[in-house]
Amino acid sequence: MQIQRIGWCLIWSVFLTYHVVSERTDSQETNDVLVFTVASNETDGFKRYLRSTEVYGFRDHVRVLGLGKKWKGGNVKTSRGGGYKVNLFKDALKEYENDQEKIVIFTDSYDVIFLAGLPDIVDKFKETEARVLFSAEGSCWPDQNLASKYPNVTRGKRYLNSGGFIGYASDLFAILNTATLEDNDDDQLFYTNIYLDEDLREKHKIKLDHKSEIFQNLYGAVADVELRFKGQDAYLQNIMYNTVPYIVHGNGYSKLVLNSLGNYLARAWSLEEGCLNCWDGVIELDSTKPETYPIILIAIFIEIPVPFIEESLLSVYRQNYPKSRLHLFIYNKVPYHERTVQEFVETIADEYLSVKQITSSDEIDEAHARDLAMDNCLIKDCAAYFSIDGVAHLDNEHTLKLLVEQQRDIVAPLLVRPFKAWSNFWGAVTDDGFYARSFDYMEIIKNERR
């Protein structure tokens, strides 16, 4: 049997052309730019969005609408909706209704990442000579019957996407008030009808970003883009139109692709230092105050005979974490290991908050046992759940403490076999839900990207 060694496994129970991103400070023009978005909850995607605005120095320009309020826009994941976003935006823009110089950017938040600062975005927008510029995509959604009404495009994406647009405040406010819509009406259909109205299109100089010079929508266009590196920075290249977008949107079913790209973009990773955003929000536990450590349940699962089971158990026991803050759950399906496990429990039980055992004689299957472990964690009101199989070694005695300090919702191990393209990690899934190798699979399992 091959020993699989892991660093950690923790699950929180809280349950072409290269563009150098501008480092110049905001000019007077960009100081007056506003960025609007809508978010009901502070999801991981929302935090990633805000992080990108901080990276490029314009977090103070961002206005988040609807945060902490009930979402009223319908189920946009499975059907039409999003009119709520339009109504929130309309109300927020009212104070700028007569401002013909103020530039306003609107984007979604959960599935959007900024890739440049406001000076670059504003300069590129002004080059288009539009008063309002919407992002573009290759699919006519949500009403395909409107496809024939779109102006012909010789090169580029033809159809409007409402997940990102930029314009002057007075023009945006005017088109927002051309019609009313209910909160659960479709926002993209609303903007589409405005764009298809030739009089409105000409009056407000409404254009689409056909070649993704500012906005890159990923749905149906994943093959159009490549992740590239220059120096320490990663950037996104549109190889179809030879552009370097400033804002990327994982619309539709492209959100998993955005998650992969988001591991690198907006200075989340560098060639020299690896994962940079892994250090966001890290804390340091005070070893002089063990009573402040989060309470954790450690669940050990022994499902097959293991020749080094004693060492595996001891590696858990030796973790540099106050045992007065630990619950222990042990599931052993192997009769041969009963005596070893029992002796281990009798030796260390008094040091832990609690110890619960499930033995082979209990005849409980593995899946049920894992459910029981999680239920036990909830009953104990623990802050985190740490799961490890008997075939794994915790070689670093500080593993648990380091993982808690990382403050991540979910952390999983990477298991590899030396000199083989084998791992428990794939990094992507196919459209029908099967495992698929991500674009960075080989670099990750070779430990070239961390």
Side-chain angles (χ1 to χ4, degrees):
M1 174 183 297
Q2 180 172 348
I3 297 177
Q4 297 177 336
R5 297 187 178 273
I6 70 172
W8 31 260
C9 174
L10 179 68
I11 300 179
W12 283 100
S13 65
V14 184
F15 318 174
L16 37 173
T17 313
Y18 173 64
H19 165 71
V20 180
V21 175
S22 174
E23 295 294 339
R24 54 195 164 122
T25 57
D26 284 357
S27 65
Q28 185 63 38
E29 288 181 327
T30 56
N31 279 335
D32 201 35
V33 175
L34 287 177
V35 180
F36 287 92
T37 191
V38 174
S40 297
N41 303 305
E42 294 187 13
T43 65
D44 287 340
F46 175 69
K47 293 175 183 176
R48 178 181 60 194
Y49 170 91
L50 289 184
R51 181 187 182 279
S52 70
T53 67
E54 291 171 356
V55 164
Y56 294 110
F58 60 93
R59 174 64 182 89
D60 292 341
H61 294 250
V62 179
R63 305 290 183 268
V64 182
L65 309 177
L67 190 62
K69 299 178 181 178
K70 182 180 178 181
W71 170 254
K72 301 177 182 179
N75 189 354
V76 293
K77 291 182 179 180
T78 58
S79 61
R80 301 181 182 186
Y84 181 52
K85 292 189 293 183
V86 177
N87 290 328
L88 286 174
F89 185 41
K90 185 190 301 184
D91 291 341
L93 210 57
K94 184 171 178 55
E95 62 179 295
Y96 310 106
E97 61 178 303
N98 297 316
D99 195 329
Q100 298 183 18
E101 300 301 322
K102 183 182 290 294
I103 293 176
V104 174
I105 301 170
F106 183 93
T107 71
D108 289 344
S109 61
Y110 299 155
D111 54 4
V112 167
I113 303 174
F114 279 90
L115 310 178
L118 293 182
D120 295 304
I121 296 172
V122 168
D123 286 350
K124 184 62 69 175
F125 168 61
K126 289 183 175 180
E127 288 177 11
T128 68
E129 298 183 347
R131 292 290 296 180
V132 177
L133 181 72
F134 281 89
S135 66
E137 62 179 326
S139 301
C140 183
W141 195 91
D143 187 353
Q144 295 183 0
N145 294 322
L146 296 176
S148 61
K149 297 183 179 181
Y150 272 83
N152 290 323
V153 176
T154 56
R155 190 163 183 260
K157 306 300 182 185
R158 185 180 179 186
Y159 307 109
L160 179 146
N161 179 280
S162 63
F165 53 89
I166 180 172
Y168 291 93
S170 58
D171 292 275
L172 286 172
F173 186 78
I175 66 173
L176 287 169
N177 284 275
T178 56
T180 59
L181 75 167
E182 300 297 324
D183 286 339
N184 59 357
D185 287 340
D186 192 78
D187 59 318
Q188 186 149 307
L189 183 60
F190 172 79
Y191 289 118
T192 296
N193 287 329
I194 291 172
Y195 177 73
L196 295 180
D197 186 315
E198 188 173 353
D199 291 337
L200 288 175
R201 191 166 68 242
E202 293 181 0
K203 178 180 179 180
H204 297 285
K205 293 184 179 179
I206 305 173
K207 298 181 180 181
L208 302 188
D209 185 12
H210 297 293
K211 299 178 184 178
S212 300
E213 295 184 272
I214 296 177
F215 302 98
Q216 175 67 62
N217 292 302
L218 290 176
Y219 179 67
V222 172
D224 292 358
V225 300
E226 285 185 359
L227 183 73
R228 295 185 176 179
F229 299 89
K230 183 69 172 182
Q232 292 299 310
D233 291 332
Y235 68 100
L236 197 64
Q237 176 84 48
N238 186 306
I239 59 176
M240 182 66 67
Y241 308 119
N242 197 29
T243 56
V244 178
Y246 296 145
I247 302 170
V248 59
H249 178 208
N251 55 317
Y253 293 105
S254 67
K255 289 174 177 51
L256 287 177
V257 176
L258 180 71
N259 290 343
S260 294
L261 294 172
N263 291 327
Y264 299 95
L265 297 172
R267 299 176 193 157
W269 189 89
S270 76
L271 289 168
E272 184 175 308
E273 300 181 53
C275 179
L276 298 177
N277 69 354
C278 291
W279 302 104
D280 294 347
V282 171
I283 65 171
E284 184 175 356
L285 295 173
D286 188 344
S287 59
T288 67
K289 298 179 180 179
E291 70 279 2
T292 64
Y293 282 45
I295 294 177
I296 297 172
L297 183 139
I298 300 178
I300 304 172
F301 297 92
I302 307 169
E303 303 147 30
I304 59 175
V306 181
F308 48 85
I309 193 62
E310 295 93 339
E311 289 83 354
S312 293
L313 293 171
L314 287 174
S315 70
V316 174
Y317 174 75
R318 289 171 182 152
Q319 285 300 298
N320 183 24
Y321 199 95
K323 293 176 178 57
S324 61
R325 309 296 288 174
L326 296 174
H327 295 285
L328 193 60
F329 181 100
I330 302 178
Y331 168 73
N332 176 33
K333 188 180 178 181
V334 184
Y336 179 78
H337 290 322
E338 285 295 346
R339 181 176 177 180
T340 300
V341 174
Q342 187 59 40
E343 289 177 352
F344 172 75
V345 170
E346 290 174 356
T347 303
I348 56 85
D350 292 341
E351 300 181 48
Y352 289 84
L353 278 172
S354 71
V355 177
K356 180 174 178 59
Q357 280 182 271
I358 295 180
T359 68
S360 58
S361 60
D362 292 324
E363 297 183 350
I364 295 177
D365 62 65
E366 175 197 345
H368 189 199
R370 291 186 183 273
D371 288 342
L372 288 174
M374 191 68 74
D375 290 341
N376 196 246
C377 184
L378 295 173
I379 291 171
K380 301 292 186 182
D381 198 26
C382 59
Y385 173 81
F386 183 91
S387 174
I388 183 168
D389 290 353
V391 295
H393 267 200
L394 285 174
D395 293 332
N396 187 340
E397 65 183 20
H398 303 291
T399 294
L400 187 55
K401 180 175 180 290
L402 290 170
L403 288 172
V404 171
E405 290 177 334
Q406 284 293 119
Q407 291 291 286
R408 291 294 180 265
D409 290 338
I410 300 175
V411 182
L414 172 63
L415 303 181
V416 298
R417 289 175 178 167
F419 312 112
K420 293 185 178 181
W422 181 97
S423 78
N424 67 329
F425 167 84
W426 289 82
V429 293
T430 61
D431 291 339
D432 49 358
F434 285 94
Y435 295 121
R437 287 188 178 185
S438 60
F439 67 89
D440 51 3
Y441 174 79
M442 292 305 299
E443 288 87 353
I444 290 175
I445 67 168
K446 289 178 180 179
N447 205 30
E448 295 172 357
R449 293 188 186 176
R450 302 186 64 182

